[in-house]
Amino acid sequence: MKYIFLLFTFLISSFSFSQNIRFEGIVKDTTNVPLEMANVMAVNKVTKAVDAYSITNDKGRFLLNLNSNSTYNVRITFLGLKTKNLTIETKTENIVQNVVLSADANELAAVEIVREMPVSIKGDTIIYNADSFKDGTERKLEDVLKKLPGVEVNKDGEIEVEGKKVQKVMVEGKDFFDGDTKIATKNIPADALDKIQVLRNYNEVTNLKGLENNEESVAINIKLKEGKKNFWFGDMTAGIGVGNENDRHILNPKLFYYSPKYSINVIGNFNNIGELPLTMQDYFKFTGGFKNMMKKGGTNFNVSSNDLGIMGMRNDRAAAIDTKFGAANFSYNPSKAWTISGFGIFSANETDLETNSKTVRTDKLPDGTSVTIAENSQNISNQKNNLGLFKLSSSYVPSEKVHFDYDGLLKISDQNEDSSVLSSIFKDVYTNKKQKPFSFNQNLNYYYTMDDKNVFAFEMQHLYQDENPFYNANLYKDAFIIPPPFASLDGYDNSQNRNDINQNRFVKTNKIDAKLDYYYMVTPKSNINITLGNTNSYQNFDSHIFQVMNNDSQNFLNDPKNNNDVSYAFNDAFLGLHYKFIKGKFTFNPGVSAHAYSMNNEQLGSEYKKTFYRFLPDVYALWQLKKSETLTYNFSLANNFTDINKLAQGFLVSNYNSLFSGNRTLENSLSQVHSLRYFKYNMFNFENIFANITYTKQVDAIKNRALLTSVNQVSSAVNINSNFADETLSGNGAYGRSFLRYYKASTRVGLNWSKYNNIRVNSDNTEFFQTTKSFTQSYNVSFSTNYKEIPNIELAYNFSVNDNFSDTFYTDAPSVTLNYYFLNAFSFTSEYTFYHNRNKSETVNNEYDFLSANLMYQRKNSKWEWKLSATNLLNTTSLNDSSFNQLGGSSSFSSYIVQPRYVILSLKYAL
């Protein structure tokens, strides 16, 4: 595969360069000053197509690759100066010609050119003309984004621009489902796109622009074609299975309306072919656009989730998936100053998963000897998940001085998982997990600019969360089988036919964050920021363990170690001071925050209180080497606090072979983080470079003290000795370039070295520190073409190495994607990926691949489209995955059963 990739790149590049000549020069103004960011575009007089375009660099230089023996209209534009049009006739030799742009208002354009620049820049905004990058095979927003210079879209629908993750997606300036990038990339139709605007240094609150550090903030705004405004548009797709053993279907309606006053988006997806618009992972990470308002406070207090670890799919693949998804989003402007918006999302999924795993743990004992333990298991699970997300927002901006926001986000779900496990150690195991978590998050923000010198910002956020996870494990019992750890709990009856354990948990959280910021502009390039803030959290935790007996009665294990009734109050009051100033190309923003902490947990009939104070510094520094080239340094010293889940001292049944107990005397850990980021984006040759290196050191970390017996684990939370600090050093970088307009190439590297410490307990209750180190590497190269009339291909190669405590795993994943629009009606797309997994110890070595293809027919200007699609054409039965557990020092290799080949015939009607 690697050699095919190199050969293909060589042939395409050789062919292309041999057919092109260079037209280059320098654009200046009448005072002989080079003009950076001037637009230069060449339109072929015969074909009327844009054959080449360029944006001048900091020296005013442009470069166009044109066809030989052709005639072009070349247009040179720069904001504020008169547009110049040239007629260029190419032969077989390169052309050098400088251009001077005049401010003379009486100068008339010699030639009218109606084509638009494929890419242009206005201030901090990059504007892509979507039609310039389409070849006819695109159906969704992500299909177009993948072809834009400097833009990447991963498998999860997350967008990166110039190496920075896009925070939100808007359509006509209105948030699309609160800016969620996945819902946008998977659903906005490609034929509705006119312009794609990349908003760099994005801050939706104009009062704070220039006061905060927004260099890493990026948003995307979609401009619609004129025919899509003030009209309903969208499509309806319906499909059925062809030649499948069982019923297969898909129904996917999409409806959109945008006007200056209001917008409505409605999306549905009902299928049993594996399309999953919203996964469990998406649900839990969906923030609804809520900001991390305390990111500069120096305190990390995150409310952890009590989800039961219901199994997730790998790459959205499972043995069977049945999905029902519906979503609606609206935005309404009662007046120019007031915007009301909101959305509702509902997803109901039933999923069957089947996993075959091998887990190996090698223990290094204090005497220097080692022992290896292995478990083979098969897990068959059925999941039923009903997920709901609802949000209402209001924004009132009556003037440039006042900005008022309110948001409320409700998340509800009903989740159930039934599993059966066949284990080489425990024989047959049956488990049930179910939970109905509920959370309501709301925030209130008020920003006021008193005058040119004084700005105030008040932000408050409230979280209410109610969780009720239930877990049941029912295990085979035999004198020759190692009993599970919960069989030794006080009050447990070992005379029953099976080991049947249950646990109810009830966790409630009320958390309020509030802060008031005052900004004083010392000079136009410097300001002082004073912050007064407070975080207050109150949590209740209640759990009960009981055993089901042979006669179905319940044996309540009433020992305090088996039951938790805990309340926990945490408060952080702080005062912060930051000073930001710009000196030439340098921006500095050092600061410090003074904190007063108080903690109090009540359990086991007593209280445990603690108060203390701490100063926490942070530094932000930016070196603006050029307009689109920066070097950024960040340093922070932060206190990290756990929530009630690790403070509750009673036992929790984590799994059928794992018990955990908290520790009421846990203290905070202290982490220092250093990060250095380099970024360069050159619009002259569409070169994109970024690199980032981060070092984190955490002392007094909250870790696990674990007793491991065979595959059983009993652990508790402790603060580890400060001499045993956890350390992580990670780095990633990428180089990408679009050239000759038709090609896009990129390479990425990611490295992560980590050292973690835990406490291991021997059978005689003696302790020793266990240090585990891991080093992961990932490498990716890709090359793609973007022609209008011939097939387009993308070649990619991924290679990853996971070197951990016990073994080293390698994964090769070359892939090929083909897109072809032909006969003015047909579109063909196909994707093939090959995987090769192996390990250093040579116990694992397997290969598998996936192939999908789509053939679409739609005549020009027709509203109807026929589509024949096939997934998993090679009928691959499973995919593989490897993982490493730093506590147990174990590595696992798993095989996941996936859906078979599906062939679907569908019909789409476009409004």
Side-chain angles (χ1 to χ4, degrees), residues 632-847:
T632 307
Y633 170 73
N634 275 286
F635 164 76
S636 64
L637 194 65
N639 270 351
N640 307 300
F641 293 87
T642 186
D643 70 347
I644 199 169
N645 291 282
K646 289 189 177 180
L647 296 172
Q649 295 222 174
F651 281 111
L652 296 179
V653 184
S654 304
N655 203 345
Y656 62 84
N657 63 347
S658 177
L659 279 178
F660 172 81
S661 65
N663 182 351
R664 69 182 307 175
T665 64
L666 288 177
E667 299 182 357
N668 66 287
S669 64
L670 185 66
S671 64
Q672 55 173 299
V673 180
H674 302 263
S675 69
L676 187 66
R677 176 187 173 91
Y678 173 78
F679 160 75
K680 180 182 180 181
Y681 189 56
N682 188 345
M683 291 297 292
F684 170 69
N685 56 10
F686 298 101
E687 182 183 62
N688 175 38
I689 305 172
F690 80 88
N692 182 78
I693 184 169
T694 301
Y695 171 74
T696 302
K697 183 177 182 180
Q698 188 173 17
V699 297
D700 298 320
I702 297 174
K703 305 306 290 286
N704 284 300
R705 178 183 182 272
L707 169 63
L708 303 179
T709 306
S710 182
V711 294
N712 288 332
Q713 175 179 305
V714 179
S715 59
S716 60
V718 295
N719 284 104
I720 203 163
N721 190 299
S722 59
N723 294 324
F724 295 86
D726 285 353
E727 295 179 273
T728 301
L729 180 63
S730 63
N732 60 82
Y735 175 84
R737 183 174 176 182
S738 297
F739 49 98
L740 293 180
R741 187 186 172 189
Y742 302 109
Y743 311 107
K744 182 177 179 180
S746 67
T747 180
R748 285 175 173 259
V749 177
L751 306 172
N752 184 286
W753 175 88
S754 59
K755 182 181 75 173
Y756 295 103
N757 299 281
N758 288 287
I759 299 176
R760 289 285 299 275
V761 183
N762 293 318
S763 56
D764 60 0
N765 210 35
T766 59
E767 298 180 349
F768 66 96
F769 287 98
Q770 174 181 278
T771 299
T772 57
K773 298 179 182 179
S774 66
F775 181 44
T776 59
Q777 308 164 62
S778 64
Y779 305 91
N780 170 269
V781 292
S782 65
F783 176 85
S784 61
T785 66
N786 191 18
Y787 294 107
K788 291 287 186 180
E789 298 179 353
I790 64 175
N792 287 301
I793 193 168
E794 178 183 357
L795 299 172
Y797 177 70
N798 291 275
F799 176 66
S800 63
V801 182
N802 186 352
D803 185 3
N804 57 57
F805 176 83
S806 58
D807 206 345
T808 303
F809 289 88
Y810 307 91
T811 302
D812 300 276
S815 64
V816 180
T817 302
L818 178 67
N819 300 296
Y820 187 28
Y821 180 74
F822 57 100
L823 299 179
N824 292 321
F826 290 92
S827 298
F828 178 77
T829 64
S830 181
E831 182 176 357
Y832 172 77
T833 305
F834 173 82
Y835 297 89
H836 180 200
N837 290 317
R838 60 197 186 280
N839 64 344
K840 188 175 182 179
S841 61
E842 299 183 350
T843 58
V844 174
N845 190 344
N846 58 59
E847 301 174 347

Side-chain angles (χ1 to χ4, degrees), residues 293 489 681:
M293 53 180 285
L489 293 176
Y681 189 56

Side-chain angles (χ1 to χ4, degrees), residues 271-551:
N271 75 86
N272 61 355
I273 62 172
E275 286 193 11
L276 204 58
L278 189 74
T279 67
M280 285 288 293
Q281 291 84 353
D282 296 329
Y283 172 81
F284 282 115
K285 72 181 182 181
F286 199 99
T287 64
F290 281 70
K291 299 182 296 182
N292 181 12
M293 53 180 285
M294 292 299 190
K295 61 183 178 180
K296 288 197 308 180
T299 299
N300 295 322
F301 182 86
N302 297 314
V303 177
S304 60
S305 173
N306 278 274
D307 70 279
L308 291 164
I310 291 178
M311 290 178 59
M313 287 156 288
R314 302 302 187 265
N315 302 330
D316 293 346
R317 293 190 177 110
I321 308 174
D322 194 324
T323 297
K324 297 176 178 63
F325 175 84
N329 171 225
F330 81 94
S331 177
Y332 173 62
N333 293 93
S335 66
K336 289 184 178 181
W338 188 17
T339 301
I340 302 173
S341 62
F343 65 79
I345 300 173
F346 176 75
S347 177
N349 304 322
E350 182 170 359
T351 308
D352 292 328
L353 299 105
E354 185 174 343
T355 308
N356 297 299
S357 302
K358 181 178 182 179
T359 302
V360 178
R361 189 179 78 237
T362 302
D363 290 343
K364 292 184 178 180
L365 304 177
D367 60 5
T369 60
S370 298
V371 58
T372 299
I373 301 166
E375 178 186 17
N376 295 306
S377 62
Q378 180 188 45
N379 189 325
I380 300 175
S381 300
N382 173 265
Q383 296 176 4
K384 294 180 180 179
N385 298 316
N386 296 314
L387 313 173
L389 292 158
F390 307 93
K391 185 178 181 186
L392 182 65
S393 301
S394 175
S395 179
Y396 182 62
V397 189
S399 68
E400 293 182 354
K401 291 189 174 183
V402 176
H403 186 127
F404 177 81
D405 287 331
Y406 172 80
D407 302 279
L409 173 68
L410 176 67
K411 298 173 70 172
I412 57 175
S413 66
D414 185 355
Q415 306 160 33
N416 187 87
E417 177 185 272
D418 289 305
S419 298
S420 62
V421 180
L422 293 178
S423 166
S424 61
I425 294 180
F426 290 105
K427 302 301 181 184
D428 60 300
V429 181
Y430 302 96
T431 65
N432 171 249
K433 301 175 181 179
K434 57 184 178 182
Q435 54 195 14
K436 294 182 179 181
F438 167 91
S439 71
F440 182 62
N441 206 335
Q442 56 184 333
N443 72 271
L444 181 71
N445 305 317
Y446 180 75
Y447 309 94
Y448 175 61
T449 303
M450 190 169 68
D451 51 41
D452 292 340
K453 291 281 189 179
N454 302 279
V455 177
F456 296 87
F458 174 74
E459 298 175 323
M460 182 172 66
Q461 186 167 310
H462 171 238
L463 169 68
Y464 174 78
Q465 185 170 281
D466 193 336
E467 300 168 291
N468 61 343
F470 169 80
Y471 178 74
N472 165 248
N474 187 304
L475 283 73
Y476 183 84
K477 185 179 177 183
D478 190 278
F480 299 100
I481 293 178
I482 298 173
F486 59 76
S488 60
L489 293 176
D490 289 341
Y492 188 86
D493 188 343
N494 286 296
S495 66
Q496 304 303 299
N497 294 334
R498 294 184 64 89
N499 290 306
D500 193 328
I501 200 72
N502 302 263
Q503 183 166 38
N504 282 306
R505 275 189 270 170
F506 305 92
V507 187
K508 291 185 179 181
T509 300
N510 265 292
K511 180 172 175 280
I512 296 178
D513 296 298
K515 70 184 181 78
L516 175 65
D517 280 292
Y518 168 64
Y519 298 88
Y520 176 73
M521 298 297 296
V522 181
T523 69
K525 291 188 176 183
S526 65
N527 69 76
I528 295 174
N529 170 214
I530 299 174
T531 304
L532 180 63
N534 192 86
T535 293
N536 183 269
S537 173
Y538 185 79
Q539 296 179 293
N540 293 105
F541 185 104
D542 190 11
S543 73
H544 303 281
I545 299 177
F546 62 93
Q547 178 186 11
V548 175
M549 312 297 281
N550 290 341
N551 59 3

Side-chain angles (χ1 to χ4, degrees), residues 174-242:
K174 306 177 189 297
D175 288 357
F176 188 83
F177 286 93
D178 227 52
D180 181 72
T181 57
K182 180 176 180 178
I183 295 179
T185 56
K186 301 292 185 182
N187 290 283
I188 296 177
D191 61 2
L193 308 177
D194 181 27
K195 302 289 189 303
I196 299 173
Q197 300 175 334
V198 175
L199 312 176
R200 300 180 292 182
N201 304 321
Y202 178 74
N203 192 326
E204 56 189 327
V205 181
T206 56
N207 308 65
L208 301 182
K209 282 191 174 181
L211 301 176
E212 296 186 328
N213 305 314
N214 302 308
E215 287 77 14
E216 299 296 312
S217 300
V218 181
I220 283 180
N221 182 46
I222 305 298
K223 302 293 289 184
L224 300 173
K225 291 184 175 181
E226 287 302 321
K228 305 298 182 181
K229 299 177 185 178
N230 299 307
F231 293 97
W232 286 98
F233 69 94
D235 54 65
M236 166 73 80
T237 300
I240 59 173
V242 177

Side-chain angles (χ1 to χ4, degrees), residues 850-868:
F850 288 96
L851 174 64
S852 63
N854 303 282
L855 179 63
M856 293 156 280
Y857 173 75
Q858 183 178 24
R859 290 183 299 175
K860 192 173 183 179
N861 299 322
S862 172
K863 293 181 177 295
W864 297 93
E865 177 189 80
W866 290 93
K867 178 181 178 181
L868 184 65

Side-chain angles (χ1 to χ4, degrees), residues 604-615:
L604 304 176
S606 63
E607 289 185 332
Y608 179 82
K609 296 182 178 180
K610 185 171 184 179
T611 60
F612 67 99
Y613 308 91
R614 182 156 289 170
F615 287 90

